[in-house]
Amino acid sequence: MDLQSLAYALTQVAHNFGAVAVTGGAIMGRWLMGGSPSSQRRAGGLVLLGWLVQGISGAGFGVISFAYYRQFPDLHGIALAALYLKMACAVAGFLLAAAFLRYQGEWTERRQRVAWFVLILLGMIALTAAAFLRWFS
């Protein structure tokens, strides 16, 4: 068995589930507007966990490459821009989801709606950037 391929595949599985949590959780949270605050908190927790998994598994790809080749992937141009965009989305999404969980009770419904919209948008941007990173690297 090729351990490098197995490591990449398992990391990709985690990354895919993180992407589902990030986008699906944000869409679910927005859909639950007007529902119970505890339901929205669960959706916010799912989004927060999803961004954490995205960040860790994304870094895992670089770690695996470094472990097997003693260098990080040679990214340039569009692929590098896409990677930076994904990283910015992950940081912003994590921070916004954490802020939502911390301050949800104090935020107006409008502010909560904006937070869900931004979280959905960050997930969509990250997914789009992933395609460019994959095919231009």
Side-chain angles (χ1 to χ4, degrees), residues 36-114:
S36 72
S38 64
S39 295
Q40 283 198 5
R41 287 189 61 73
R42 282 193 297 276
L46 178 63
V47 172
L48 181 70
L49 179 62
W51 282 118
L52 183 63
V53 169
Q54 287 292 97
I56 291 170
S57 59
F61 289 122
V63 168
I64 293 166
S65 291
F66 193 82
Y68 280 92
Y69 300 112
R70 298 290 178 231
Q71 64 182 19
F72 293 110
D74 182 26
L75 299 178
H76 55 279
I78 292 173
L80 191 58
L83 175 62
Y84 289 151
L85 185 56
K86 280 183 54 113
M87 291 169 64
C89 287
V91 170
F94 181 86
L95 292 175
L96 181 54
F100 177 84
L101 290 173
R102 169 67 178 89
Y103 299 109
Q104 174 198 9
E106 302 168 27
W107 284 1
T108 64
E109 186 174 317
R110 183 178 190 281
R111 180 173 278 181
Q112 291 179 42
R113 200 172 13 261
V114 168

Side-chain angles (χ1 to χ4, degrees), residues 4-5 8 17 22 25 28 30-31 47 66-67 108 114 127 137:
Q4 178 187 9
S5 293
Y8 277 124
F17 278 109
V22 161
M28 182 177 69
R30 175 59 185 96
W31 181 69
V47 172
F66 193 82
T108 64
V114 168
L127 281 171
S137 62

